């Protein structure tokens, strides 16, 4: 029987070596695997903020149940939500120690801000490597594959730049715009990719890469927009500063954009299950329509059509309120 991509993804993840193999120090491996199951979002201090009964809602898109469950959100404990084999446990602890173990958010801690940016980037990068693996069946057209491969090559250079900054302990190599909203947040996102300016600003093609982290902090919503300082920095800086200015001049419009953007492009979003239970079926339907636009897209032409559809689609759920 032929293996499906869910089986292949699991095999690739479990057989891969640590993404930072022997970087700075020797890896620490178990007898069975070269990597540990790493949290994309820390359970202590972060996932627990939106959990109900130690559970959150996620798509769990690398699990076969994702398709069986009609690509809908599923309940996972905070101990198991959005865990992927990327690093050995020793590198995981070293690389993200400032944002793990219940450490509070500190915008003056440059190392911590750097780690937020790097984690969003590197987990997205690992997914790109997974989909580029020869074992993995290609699910989009040739042109889309060529575009994805071009972005992957740029991300390989970014990964090298991040590692150089870590080696030098130069946390200033990442610039971050910090946005604080005096509103409650019902989700957490840790995503990295090319910003889609056309949803809000005039359409522009760019090769820049942005890391976006959004999470609740007491009664506030914290939004971190980060990018490598020397990597297409003009486009990145321009996008992030325009978003920050918009958050000050028109907070309602800014929130509408950031909510729709996250739902459309971050398939690792984690939601508060108690909040979800209060949403109407109509609002949930709109949420899924937006969330499913691009993961199920197979051609560049179809993707462009869905992009313009997304521009006029309104997300009814108030994920930030």
């Amino acid at each position: 029987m032929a293996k499906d991509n869910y089986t292949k993804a699991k095999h690739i993840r479990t057989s891969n070596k640590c993404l930072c193999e022997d970087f700075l120090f020797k890896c620490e491996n178990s007898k069975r695997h070269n990597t540990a199951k790493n949290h994309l979002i820390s359970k202590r201090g972060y996932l627990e903020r939106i959990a109900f009964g130690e559970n959150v809602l996620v798509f769990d898109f690398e699990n076969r149940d994702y398709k069986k469950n009609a690509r809908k959100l599923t309940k996972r404990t905070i101990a198991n939500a959005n865990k992927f084999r990327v690093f050995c446990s020793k590198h995981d602890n070293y690389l993200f120690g400032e944002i793990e173990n219940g450490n509070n958010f500190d915008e003056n801690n440059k190392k911590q801000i750097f780690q937020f940016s790097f984690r969003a980037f590197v987990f997205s990068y690992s997914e790109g490597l997974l989909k580029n693996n020869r074992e993995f069946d290609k699910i989009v057209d040739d042109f889309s594959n060529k575009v994805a491969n071009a972005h992957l090559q740029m991300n390989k250079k970014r990964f090298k730049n991040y590692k150089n900054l870590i080696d030098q302990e130069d946390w200033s190599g990442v610039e971050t715009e910090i946005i604080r909203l005096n509103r409650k947040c019902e989700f957490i996102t840790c995503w990295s990719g090319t910003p889609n300016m056309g949803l809000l600003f005039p359409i522009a093609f760019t090769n820049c890469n942005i890391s976006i982290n959004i999470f609740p902090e007491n009664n506030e919503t914290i939004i971190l927009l980060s990018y490598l300082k020397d990597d297409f920095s003009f486009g990145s800086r321009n996008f992030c500063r325009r978003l920050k200015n918009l958050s000050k001049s028109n907070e309602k419009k800014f929130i509408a954009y950031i909510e729709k953007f996250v739902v459309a492009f971050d398939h690792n979003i984690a939601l508060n299950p108690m909040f979800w239970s209060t949403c109407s079926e109509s609002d949930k339907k709109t949420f899924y329509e937006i969330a499913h636009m691009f993961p199920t897209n197979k051609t560049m032409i179809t993707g462009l059509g869905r992009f313009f559809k997304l521009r006029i689609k309104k997300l009814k759920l108030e994920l930030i309120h």
Side-chain angles (χ1 to χ4, degrees):
M1 182 181 294
K3 294 180 179 179
D4 60 23
N5 272 344
Y6 298 104
T7 302
K8 292 176 180 179
K10 183 177 181 180
H11 177 259
I12 294 168
R13 289 282 194 190
T14 55
S15 59
N16 274 349
K17 294 182 179 180
C18 173
L19 198 54
C20 280
E21 183 184 16
D22 296 337
F23 171 61
L24 298 178
F25 46 77
K26 290 287 184 180
C27 288
E28 189 174 84
N29 304 322
S30 68
K31 293 181 179 179
R32 294 185 59 191
H33 302 294
N34 295 317
T35 53
K37 289 185 178 181
N38 316 128
H39 273 104
L40 171 63
I41 303 168
S42 174
K43 63 178 182 179
R44 287 185 58 197
Y46 290 93
L47 281 180
E48 64 184 11
R49 298 179 188 181
I50 61 168
F52 180 74
E54 295 290 303
N55 293 300
V56 293
L57 292 175
V58 295
F59 281 111
D60 203 7
F61 73 101
E62 285 189 18
N63 191 308
R64 184 179 285 102
D65 291 341
Y66 170 63
K67 191 172 183 179
K68 289 182 178 180
N69 195 35
R71 298 183 174 88
K72 291 185 177 181
L73 293 165
T74 189
K75 190 180 292 185
R76 291 287 184 265
T77 65
I78 59 174
N80 294 310
N82 287 342
K83 294 181 76 173
F84 306 96
R85 291 189 178 276
V86 181
F87 301 103
C88 71
S89 58
K90 191 172 183 181
H91 277 103
D92 186 44
N93 292 332
Y94 175 80
L95 294 169
F96 308 116
E98 294 293 321
I99 53 179
E100 288 284 354
N101 307 314
N103 287 335
N104 294 326
F105 171 68
D106 179 5
E107 66 178 77
N108 296 312
N109 184 337
K110 292 184 178 180
K111 184 177 181 180
Q112 186 186 76
I113 298 297
F114 180 97
Q115 289 185 2
F116 271 114
S117 178
F118 179 59
R119 181 147 73 174
F121 167 79
V122 79
F123 274 75
S124 178
Y125 174 54
S126 76
E127 184 185 332
L129 292 172
L130 169 70
K131 292 179 178 178
N132 193 59
N133 191 287
R134 291 180 180 180
E135 288 187 42
F136 206 81
D137 293 335
K138 308 305 177 187
I139 58 176
V140 295
D141 65 333
D142 289 341
F143 183 73
S144 298
N145 277 325
K146 289 179 181 178
V147 172
N149 186 62
H151 281 287
L152 181 62
Q153 297 310 311
M154 287 187 284
N155 282 338
K156 285 182 179 180
K157 295 179 181 179
R158 292 179 178 118
F159 180 54
K160 184 178 180 180
N161 289 342
Y162 268 112
K163 287 173 66 178
N164 287 338
L165 292 170
I166 293 169
D167 185 33
Q168 299 165 18
E169 297 189 359
D170 181 8
W171 316 125
S172 64
V174 164
E175 291 188 353
T176 300
E177 294 289 347
I178 301 174
I179 300 171
R180 288 180 176 268
L181 302 177
N182 190 27
R183 293 172 179 263
K184 187 177 181 181
C185 182
E186 303 290 358
F187 70 98
I188 297 178
T189 192
C190 181
W191 176 90
S192 178
T194 302
N196 202 318
M197 299 185 181
L199 286 179
L200 183 61
F201 306 125
I203 295 174
F205 294 97
T206 175
N207 290 322
C208 60
N209 182 276
I210 307 291
S211 290
I212 299 178
N213 285 272
I214 304 174
F215 52 87
E217 176 82 4
N218 298 319
N219 293 318
E220 290 185 313
T221 295
I222 305 297
I223 301 171
L224 307 178
L225 307 173
S226 309
Y227 52 92
L228 285 168
K229 187 181 293 184
D230 297 324
D231 175 54
F232 300 103
S233 57
F234 175 78
S236 303
R237 186 180 299 112
N238 181 48
F239 175 76
C240 293
R241 289 183 178 176
R242 289 176 77 177
L243 272 185
K244 187 169 185 177
N245 290 337
L246 181 66
S247 72
K248 296 177 180 178
S249 64
N250 192 334
E251 187 177 90
K252 184 177 180 180
K253 186 176 182 179
F254 167 78
I255 291 173
Y257 167 80
I258 207 72
E259 287 177 330
K260 186 162 66 170
F261 182 93
V262 168
V263 173
F265 297 105
D266 182 16
H267 46 245
N268 287 315
I269 185 174
L271 271 73
N272 180 342
M274 177 57 71
F275 165 77
W276 184 255
S277 68
T278 66
C279 298
S280 70
E281 290 304 313
S282 174
D283 289 352
K284 290 179 181 178
K285 181 181 178 181
T286 304
F287 173 90
Y288 283 127
E289 286 174 354
I290 293 175
H292 293 162
M293 279 188 180
F294 296 100
T296 58
N297 179 62
K298 295 184 179 181
T299 69
M300 185 64 68
I301 293 175
T302 304
L304 288 172
R306 293 183 179 185
F307 165 74
F308 286 107
K309 183 179 179 180
L310 181 63
R311 289 193 72 181
I312 61 176
K313 194 77 173 177
K314 291 185 178 180
L315 180 67
K316 298 178 182 179
L317 296 182
E318 293 185 349
L319 297 174
I320 299 174
H321 56 91

